[in-house]
Structure formats: C-alpha cells, structure tokens
Amino acid sequence: MWISQKIIASQAERPAAELAKTTGGAAAQGAGEYRNLPFAGPWGIAYQPPNAAQAVIVSTSAGDACVGTLAADRGLKPGELLLYSSGGAELYLKNNGDIVINGQVFQREAANGS
C-alpha cells in the first residue's frame, strides 16, 4: 500500500508535458533523459528534428513520446502552412492559393468562368 501511494504521488508531481532539447536521433534532454523517443505527427508526415530543437515530450500509457517541436515565428498568416528543412528547402502554401517552392511562386489558376 505504501509503495503504491509513493508511485501515485510521484506520477502526480510530473508535469503533463515537458520541453527538452533534442540531442540527436531519437533522444532528448530535459529534467530527465529520453531515449528511443517515437515522434508523433500528422499521418503521412515523418520528421527528425535537428539537434537542440525544443521538443515537447508527453508521457503516455505506452511510454514517453515527442509530439512536436516549438517553431520559430516565420511570419505566417493564420491558415497558412510552411514545410521546411534545416537544409533550407521550403514548401509554402499561402492563403491566396499560391504555392511557393524554394522561393519560386506557382500562382493559383483562376477557376473557369471567374
């Protein structure tokens, strides 16, 4: 009984999520050290954050997982999407329908009859 109460109390003290710096591969360092982290994200998007990214770590019933990283302000308007790599590749979906790939603008075609 005493051991159960100690385990429950220690779990209650742990925050729901923690910020930790990625240290390469599937590892991060915060208040604790995390290894072999799975990276959760929208289906169809795979990513590996660069070293020193601020990862958001959550605890689940299956173990700890990285649910994303904090992104720097990139000047996006609400509703816009920017996919980018640490090597400089960018795919920018703008609200006006334009797609910008590495700086080259592909304008949205006008709908027929408009």
PDB file of all heavy atoms in Angstrom, residues 1 12 15 20 22 28 36 39 42 48 51 58 68 74 78 83-84 91-92 106-107 111:
ATOM      1  N   MET A   1       0.826  -1.185   0.000  1.00  0.00           N
ATOM      2  CA  MET A   1       0.000   0.000   0.000  1.00  0.00           C
ATOM      3  C   MET A   1       0.872   1.252   0.000  1.00  0.00           C
ATOM      4  O   MET A   1       0.642   2.167  -0.762  1.00  0.00           O
ATOM      5  CB  MET A   1      -0.923  -0.056   1.234  1.00  0.00           C
ATOM      6  CG  MET A   1      -1.822   1.109   1.346  1.00  0.00           C
ATOM      7  SD  MET A   1      -3.189   0.923   0.202  1.00  0.00           S
ATOM      8  CE  MET A   1      -4.286   2.083   0.862  1.00  0.00           C
ATOM      9  N   ALA A  12       1.832  12.116  -9.907  1.00  0.00           N
ATOM     10  CA  ALA A  12       1.053  13.346  -9.813  1.00  0.00           C
ATOM     11  C   ALA A  12       1.950  14.571  -9.872  1.00  0.00           C
ATOM     12  O   ALA A  12       1.538  15.628 -10.343  1.00  0.00           O
ATOM     13  CB  ALA A  12       0.228  13.340  -8.529  1.00  0.00           C
ATOM     14  N   PRO A  15       4.895  16.863 -14.625  1.00  0.00           N
ATOM     15  CA  PRO A  15       4.049  17.702 -15.476  1.00  0.00           C
ATOM     16  C   PRO A  15       3.442  16.900 -16.627  1.00  0.00           C
ATOM     17  O   PRO A  15       3.960  15.841 -17.004  1.00  0.00           O
ATOM     18  CB  PRO A  15       5.021  18.763 -16.003  1.00  0.00           C
ATOM     19  CG  PRO A  15       6.368  18.139 -15.902  1.00  0.00           C
ATOM     20  CD  PRO A  15       6.304  17.200 -14.728  1.00  0.00           C
ATOM     21  N   ALA A  20      12.185  19.643 -23.818  1.00  0.00           N
ATOM     22  CA  ALA A  20      13.514  19.042 -23.734  1.00  0.00           C
ATOM     23  C   ALA A  20      14.255  19.333 -25.028  1.00  0.00           C
ATOM     24  O   ALA A  20      13.634  19.412 -26.098  1.00  0.00           O
ATOM     25  CB  ALA A  20      13.394  17.540 -23.512  1.00  0.00           C
ATOM     26  N   THR A  22      16.510  18.316 -28.097  1.00  0.00           N
ATOM     27  CA  THR A  22      16.901  17.096 -28.786  1.00  0.00           C
ATOM     28  C   THR A  22      18.423  17.016 -28.811  1.00  0.00           C
ATOM     29  O   THR A  22      19.113  18.024 -28.926  1.00  0.00           O
ATOM     30  CB  THR A  22      16.323  17.050 -30.210  1.00  0.00           C
ATOM     31  OG1 THR A  22      16.744  18.214 -30.922  1.00  0.00           O
ATOM     32  CG2 THR A  22      14.810  16.986 -30.193  1.00  0.00           C
ATOM     33  N   ALA A  28      16.504  13.083 -26.229  1.00  0.00           N
ATOM     34  CA  ALA A  28      16.311  14.460 -25.777  1.00  0.00           C
ATOM     35  C   ALA A  28      16.725  14.555 -24.312  1.00  0.00           C
ATOM     36  O   ALA A  28      16.696  13.566 -23.584  1.00  0.00           O
ATOM     37  CB  ALA A  28      14.869  14.899 -25.960  1.00  0.00           C
ATOM     38  N   ASN A  36      15.246   6.707 -27.407  1.00  0.00           N
ATOM     39  CA  ASN A  36      14.346   5.920 -28.264  1.00  0.00           C
ATOM     40  C   ASN A  36      12.943   6.507 -28.318  1.00  0.00           C
ATOM     41  O   ASN A  36      11.949   5.790 -28.266  1.00  0.00           O
ATOM     42  CB  ASN A  36      14.301   4.457 -27.816  1.00  0.00           C
ATOM     43  CG  ASN A  36      15.659   3.816 -27.847  1.00  0.00           C
ATOM     44  OD1 ASN A  36      16.421   4.006 -28.797  1.00  0.00           O
ATOM     45  ND2 ASN A  36      15.997   3.086 -26.806  1.00  0.00           N
ATOM     46  N   PHE A  39       8.412   9.824 -32.552  1.00  0.00           N
ATOM     47  CA  PHE A  39       8.000  11.174 -32.921  1.00  0.00           C
ATOM     48  C   PHE A  39       6.592  11.108 -33.485  1.00  0.00           C
ATOM     49  O   PHE A  39       6.374  10.518 -34.541  1.00  0.00           O
ATOM     50  CB  PHE A  39       8.970  11.786 -33.937  1.00  0.00           C
ATOM     51  CG  PHE A  39      10.323  12.046 -33.360  1.00  0.00           C
ATOM     52  CD1 PHE A  39      11.362  11.177 -33.573  1.00  0.00           C
ATOM     53  CD2 PHE A  39      10.550  13.162 -32.570  1.00  0.00           C
ATOM     54  CE1 PHE A  39      12.612  11.403 -33.019  1.00  0.00           C
ATOM     55  CE2 PHE A  39      11.791  13.399 -32.011  1.00  0.00           C
ATOM     56  CZ  PHE A  39      12.826  12.519 -32.239  1.00  0.00           C
ATOM     57  N   PRO A  42       1.180  14.389 -37.660  1.00  0.00           N
ATOM     58  CA  PRO A  42       0.064  14.038 -38.536  1.00  0.00           C
ATOM     59  C   PRO A  42       0.429  12.861 -39.431  1.00  0.00           C
ATOM     60  O   PRO A  42       1.591  12.720 -39.837  1.00  0.00           O
ATOM     61  CB  PRO A  42      -0.149  15.301 -39.378  1.00  0.00           C
ATOM     62  CG  PRO A  42       0.485  16.394 -38.597  1.00  0.00           C
ATOM     63  CD  PRO A  42       1.616  15.766 -37.852  1.00  0.00           C
ATOM     64  N   GLN A  48      12.477  14.275 -38.392  1.00  0.00           N
ATOM     65  CA  GLN A  48      13.536  14.061 -37.411  1.00  0.00           C
ATOM     66  C   GLN A  48      14.047  15.452 -37.044  1.00  0.00           C
ATOM     67  O   GLN A  48      14.649  16.125 -37.877  1.00  0.00           O
ATOM     68  CB  GLN A  48      14.650  13.217 -38.017  1.00  0.00           C
ATOM     69  CG  GLN A  48      15.682  12.735 -37.040  1.00  0.00           C
ATOM     70  CD  GLN A  48      15.145  11.698 -36.071  1.00  0.00           C
ATOM     71  OE1 GLN A  48      15.107  11.973 -34.888  1.00  0.00           O
ATOM     72  NE2 GLN A  48      14.735  10.554 -36.553  1.00  0.00           N
ATOM     73  N   ASN A  51      19.382  18.720 -33.928  1.00  0.00           N
ATOM     74  CA  ASN A  51      19.913  18.839 -32.566  1.00  0.00           C
ATOM     75  C   ASN A  51      19.547  20.189 -31.977  1.00  0.00           C
ATOM     76  O   ASN A  51      19.516  21.192 -32.682  1.00  0.00           O
ATOM     77  CB  ASN A  51      21.430  18.681 -32.560  1.00  0.00           C
ATOM     78  CG  ASN A  51      21.845  17.240 -32.759  1.00  0.00           C
ATOM     79  OD1 ASN A  51      21.035  16.321 -32.648  1.00  0.00           O
ATOM     80  ND2 ASN A  51      23.101  17.037 -33.065  1.00  0.00           N
ATOM     81  N   VAL A  58       5.637  14.191 -24.003  1.00  0.00           N
ATOM     82  CA  VAL A  58       4.493  13.822 -23.163  1.00  0.00           C
ATOM     83  C   VAL A  58       4.629  12.360 -22.758  1.00  0.00           C
ATOM     84  O   VAL A  58       5.257  11.571 -23.449  1.00  0.00           O
ATOM     85  CB  VAL A  58       3.129  14.048 -23.869  1.00  0.00           C
ATOM     86  CG1 VAL A  58       2.920  15.511 -24.203  1.00  0.00           C
ATOM     87  CG2 VAL A  58       3.002  13.194 -25.101  1.00  0.00           C
ATOM     88  N   GLY A  68       6.096  16.966 -31.010  1.00  0.00           N
ATOM     89  CA  GLY A  68       6.432  18.069 -31.900  1.00  0.00           C
ATOM     90  C   GLY A  68       7.543  18.909 -31.308  1.00  0.00           C
ATOM     91  O   GLY A  68       8.059  18.613 -30.233  1.00  0.00           O
ATOM     92  N   ARG A  74       7.720  32.461 -38.264  1.00  0.00           N
ATOM     93  CA  ARG A  74       8.158  32.552 -39.654  1.00  0.00           C
ATOM     94  C   ARG A  74       7.300  33.543 -40.444  1.00  0.00           C
ATOM     95  O   ARG A  74       7.356  33.573 -41.659  1.00  0.00           O
ATOM     96  CB  ARG A  74       8.077  31.174 -40.324  1.00  0.00           C
ATOM     97  CG  ARG A  74       8.889  30.072 -39.649  1.00  0.00           C
ATOM     98  CD  ARG A  74      10.375  30.201 -39.844  1.00  0.00           C
ATOM     99  NE  ARG A  74      10.763  30.057 -41.213  1.00  0.00           N
ATOM    100  CZ  ARG A  74      11.545  29.122 -41.715  1.00  0.00           C
ATOM    101  NH1 ARG A  74      12.045  28.209 -40.907  1.00  0.00           N
ATOM    102  NH2 ARG A  74      11.847  29.105 -42.986  1.00  0.00           N
ATOM    103  N   PRO A  78      -2.594  33.400 -40.264  1.00  0.00           N
ATOM    104  CA  PRO A  78      -3.461  32.301 -39.845  1.00  0.00           C
ATOM    105  C   PRO A  78      -3.990  31.544 -41.059  1.00  0.00           C
ATOM    106  O   PRO A  78      -4.452  32.153 -42.025  1.00  0.00           O
ATOM    107  CB  PRO A  78      -4.599  33.009 -39.097  1.00  0.00           C
ATOM    108  CG  PRO A  78      -3.971  34.277 -38.593  1.00  0.00           C
ATOM    109  CD  PRO A  78      -2.990  34.684 -39.670  1.00  0.00           C
ATOM    110  N   LEU A  83       6.221  23.997 -44.828  1.00  0.00           N
ATOM    111  CA  LEU A  83       7.065  22.836 -44.546  1.00  0.00           C
ATOM    112  C   LEU A  83       8.484  23.241 -44.875  1.00  0.00           C
ATOM    113  O   LEU A  83       8.728  23.792 -45.952  1.00  0.00           O
ATOM    114  CB  LEU A  83       6.659  21.641 -45.413  1.00  0.00           C
ATOM    115  CG  LEU A  83       5.273  21.065 -45.194  1.00  0.00           C
ATOM    116  CD1 LEU A  83       4.999  19.973 -46.228  1.00  0.00           C
ATOM    117  CD2 LEU A  83       5.121  20.520 -43.797  1.00  0.00           C
ATOM    118  N   TYR A  84       9.416  23.000 -43.967  1.00  0.00           N
ATOM    119  CA  TYR A  84      10.799  23.393 -44.231  1.00  0.00           C
ATOM    120  C   TYR A  84      11.760  22.412 -43.582  1.00  0.00           C
ATOM    121  O   TYR A  84      11.423  21.717 -42.627  1.00  0.00           O
ATOM    122  CB  TYR A  84      11.081  24.815 -43.739  1.00  0.00           C
ATOM    123  CG  TYR A  84      10.893  25.020 -42.259  1.00  0.00           C
ATOM    124  CD1 TYR A  84      11.961  24.899 -41.385  1.00  0.00           C
ATOM    125  CD2 TYR A  84       9.647  25.338 -41.734  1.00  0.00           C
ATOM    126  CE1 TYR A  84      11.794  25.086 -40.026  1.00  0.00           C
ATOM    127  CE2 TYR A  84       9.473  25.526 -40.378  1.00  0.00           C
ATOM    128  CZ  TYR A  84      10.542  25.403 -39.529  1.00  0.00           C
ATOM    129  OH  TYR A  84      10.374  25.585 -38.183  1.00  0.00           O
ATOM    130  N   LEU A  91       8.436  24.561 -48.671  1.00  0.00           N
ATOM    131  CA  LEU A  91       7.183  24.443 -49.411  1.00  0.00           C
ATOM    132  C   LEU A  91       6.156  25.248 -48.624  1.00  0.00           C
ATOM    133  O   LEU A  91       5.815  24.917 -47.495  1.00  0.00           O
ATOM    134  CB  LEU A  91       6.746  22.983 -49.511  1.00  0.00           C
ATOM    135  CG  LEU A  91       5.395  22.711 -50.147  1.00  0.00           C
ATOM    136  CD1 LEU A  91       5.393  23.131 -51.616  1.00  0.00           C
ATOM    137  CD2 LEU A  91       5.033  21.250 -50.005  1.00  0.00           C
ATOM    138  N   TYR A  92       5.697  26.351 -49.228  1.00  0.00           N
ATOM    139  CA  TYR A  92       4.844  27.326 -48.536  1.00  0.00           C
ATOM    140  C   TYR A  92       3.491  27.367 -49.230  1.00  0.00           C
ATOM    141  O   TYR A  92       3.408  27.678 -50.412  1.00  0.00           O
ATOM    142  CB  TYR A  92       5.550  28.670 -48.584  1.00  0.00           C
ATOM    143  CG  TYR A  92       4.898  29.847 -47.894  1.00  0.00           C
ATOM    144  CD1 TYR A  92       3.864  29.709 -46.980  1.00  0.00           C
ATOM    145  CD2 TYR A  92       5.360  31.134 -48.161  1.00  0.00           C
ATOM    146  CE1 TYR A  92       3.301  30.815 -46.358  1.00  0.00           C
ATOM    147  CE2 TYR A  92       4.803  32.242 -47.539  1.00  0.00           C
ATOM    148  CZ  TYR A  92       3.769  32.073 -46.643  1.00  0.00           C
ATOM    149  OH  TYR A  92       3.221  33.171 -46.029  1.00  0.00           O
ATOM    150  N   PHE A 106       4.236  29.609 -57.630  1.00  0.00           N
ATOM    151  CA  PHE A 106       3.300  28.991 -58.559  1.00  0.00           C
ATOM    152  C   PHE A 106       1.932  29.551 -58.200  1.00  0.00           C
ATOM    153  O   PHE A 106       1.364  29.207 -57.164  1.00  0.00           O
ATOM    154  CB  PHE A 106       3.323  27.464 -58.425  1.00  0.00           C
ATOM    155  CG  PHE A 106       4.646  26.862 -58.799  1.00  0.00           C
ATOM    156  CD1 PHE A 106       5.664  26.749 -57.858  1.00  0.00           C
ATOM    157  CD2 PHE A 106       4.880  26.435 -60.099  1.00  0.00           C
ATOM    158  CE1 PHE A 106       6.890  26.208 -58.194  1.00  0.00           C
ATOM    159  CE2 PHE A 106       6.104  25.887 -60.452  1.00  0.00           C
ATOM    160  CZ  PHE A 106       7.112  25.775 -59.500  1.00  0.00           C
ATOM    161  N   GLN A 107       1.437  30.445 -59.072  1.00  0.00           N
ATOM    162  CA  GLN A 107       0.185  31.126 -58.758  1.00  0.00           C
ATOM    163  C   GLN A 107      -0.999  30.210 -58.994  1.00  0.00           C
ATOM    164  O   GLN A 107      -1.001  29.384 -59.912  1.00  0.00           O
ATOM    165  CB  GLN A 107       0.038  32.392 -59.612  1.00  0.00           C
ATOM    166  CG  GLN A 107       1.046  33.452 -59.220  1.00  0.00           C
ATOM    167  CD  GLN A 107       0.813  34.753 -59.976  1.00  0.00           C
ATOM    168  OE1 GLN A 107       0.227  34.753 -61.043  1.00  0.00           O
ATOM    169  NE2 GLN A 107       1.280  35.837 -59.393  1.00  0.00           N
ATOM    170  N   ALA A 111     -10.384  29.973 -61.433  1.00  0.00           N
ATOM    171  CA  ALA A 111     -11.417  28.983 -61.756  1.00  0.00           C
ATOM    172  C   ALA A 111     -12.120  29.383 -63.031  1.00  0.00           C
ATOM    173  O   ALA A 111     -12.236  30.565 -63.357  1.00  0.00           O
ATOM    174  CB  ALA A 111     -12.398  28.882 -60.592  1.00  0.00           C
TER     175      ALA A 111
END
